[in-house]
Amino acid sequence: GVSRVMNNEFHNERTNFPHPEIWGSKVWHAFWMVRSANRLIHSANTKIINNIDNFKFSGIKPSHKELEILGKNYPTVFLHGLFGHASDWDFITQELPNSFSLPIQINESIETFDEGIRYLYKKIKEEINSDKINLVGYSMGGRIAYHMARMYPNNVQNLFLISSNIQGIEQKKDRDSRYLSDKKLMNGIDTTEKYLEFLKKWYRQSLFSGFENTSEYISKTSRANQSDIKKNKKLIEIFSVGRQNFIDKPKSPAEQTVFIYGSKDQKYK
């Protein structure tokens, strides 16, 4: 099965981070994800934990020792979300031994969702010499991680998914409609200025409520550049939720799968 973790209470006494209840696209929440996943997966006699909606985790930054535990046996690969960058994970990969953040960019020749997954797995193998890996993915990165684990079940040890639609869309007509809608997202965006305005509008959605008031928002918008336009148009084309297969009852394709969402995240509860 898939463990579901609701981060419903945090304490920030030892950090200066914003309160992490607003999930949005704040990739620094992986600090709390790593801590909570570490407690779930590496605790004595812990396998898959169900019915833990009321489980409470501390928002204190995990210790270096805890980070080491996560990557102790196998390398940990981090996958960013749409409109993100590999550097989104620097805050944790710089402290986590044996970890790597994959720049999610695919070749123009890729035509299908599954081809895209295989292409990215090949890129991971070019960077990491290991028979197994741990995968951590946020949003689009989580969807990619989940389907990669399904495609390569013998090569993924632990799977950590942050606010990701792993199930997909049931009806084909609805998938097709979503795909066409997604493809129109960046129509007419061909300059850095237009892309920056698009990002600002994107992050004003209710899904990212409160995100505009964070340093992460400033960081993301300040990194907007011309090369991101072509890259993200291709990622939308291939990894739209409308392109992935519907899974009626998602099962854990890895030894351990943990799905995490924020207490104010109404979309992924």
Side-chain angles (χ1 to χ4, degrees):
V2 179
S3 297
R4 298 180 66 84
V5 181
M6 176 175 173
N7 298 327
N8 58 354
E9 182 172 312
F10 292 85
H11 304 283
N12 280 9
E13 293 93 340
R14 283 168 47 190
T15 73
N16 293 319
F17 290 126
H19 197 282
E21 282 190 338
I22 303 170
W23 208 221
S25 63
K26 303 189 188 72
V27 295
W28 50 258
H29 279 106
F31 266 139
W32 282 269
M33 182 278 298
V34 168
R35 185 180 184 88
S36 57
N38 174 37
R39 290 183 181 180
L40 290 174
I41 291 174
H42 296 286
S43 299
N45 302 318
T46 297
K47 293 184 179 179
I48 295 296
I49 297 179
N50 300 309
N51 304 318
I52 53 173
D53 283 352
N54 295 318
F55 203 94
K56 298 180 181 180
F57 300 113
S58 169
I60 297 173
K61 177 180 174 180
S63 68
H64 189 73
K65 182 177 180 180
E66 287 176 310
L67 292 174
E68 286 181 334
I69 291 174
L70 179 64
K72 183 177 180 180
N73 297 319
Y74 300 103
T76 300
V77 179
F78 290 83
L79 304 175
H80 60 78
L82 183 62
F83 308 128
H85 299 84
S87 59
D88 289 345
W89 295 105
D90 282 354
F91 71 96
I92 191 169
T93 56
Q94 290 173 356
E95 295 195 37
L96 178 62
N98 206 15
S99 67
F100 166 69
S101 180
L102 178 72
I104 302 180
Q105 186 165 351
I106 55 177
N107 194 289
E108 282 296 319
S109 64
I110 301 299
E111 296 183 349
T112 69
F113 187 91
D114 286 351
E115 282 181 18
I117 298 294
R118 286 192 288 269
Y119 178 84
L120 292 177
Y121 182 74
K122 181 180 178 181
K123 289 297 181 183
I124 291 174
K125 296 298 290 182
E126 289 175 359
E127 296 289 336
I128 294 177
N129 182 23
S130 176
D131 59 333
K132 286 191 177 184
I133 56 176
N134 300 311
L135 286 175
V136 180
Y138 163 72
S139 192
M140 177 190 74
R143 293 190 291 110
I144 291 171
Y146 182 77
H147 286 272
M148 188 177 289
R150 292 185 77 236
M151 196 172 291
Y152 302 98
N154 296 323
N155 302 107
V156 177
Q157 181 75 4
N158 297 315
L159 189 60
F160 309 109
L161 309 173
I162 309 169
S163 297
S164 301
N165 181 356
I166 60 175
Q167 188 172 29
I169 301 171
E170 183 172 6
Q171 300 297 324
K172 185 180 184 304
K173 62 179 180 61
D174 295 329
R175 290 199 298 272
D176 292 343
S177 176
R178 172 61 183 268
Y179 176 57
L180 292 176
S181 176
D182 284 350
K183 283 199 70 174
K184 294 177 182 177
L185 272 177
M186 296 184 66
N187 279 357
I189 298 174
D190 53 9
T191 67
T192 301
E193 291 73 22
K194 289 180 180 179
Y195 180 57
L196 179 57
E197 286 305 309
F198 166 80
L199 284 182
K200 290 179 177 178
K201 183 178 179 181
W202 178 261
Y203 289 123
R204 282 197 293 268
Q205 295 181 90
S206 59
L207 176 65
F208 304 106
S209 177
F211 185 48
E212 287 182 278
N213 303 319
T214 68
S215 59
E216 180 63 25
Y217 171 80
I218 297 173
S219 176
K220 275 186 173 293
T221 52
S222 65
R223 286 198 299 255
N225 61 71
Q226 187 71 27
S227 63
D228 282 344
I229 299 173
K230 183 178 180 180
K231 178 191 79 171
N232 287 313
K233 284 183 177 181
K234 185 64 178 180
L235 291 180
I236 291 171
E237 176 192 339
I238 299 302
F239 293 123
S240 162
V241 178
R243 298 296 301 275
Q244 72 186 54
N245 294 325
F246 173 71
I247 303 172
D248 186 25
K249 296 179 180 179
K251 297 180 180 179
S252 173
E255 183 170 319
Q256 305 283 357
T257 297
V258 180
F259 185 95
I260 299 172
Y261 57 95
S263 63
K264 291 187 178 181
D265 189 342
Q266 298 300 317
K267 184 174 181 179
Y268 292 106
K269 285 185 178 180

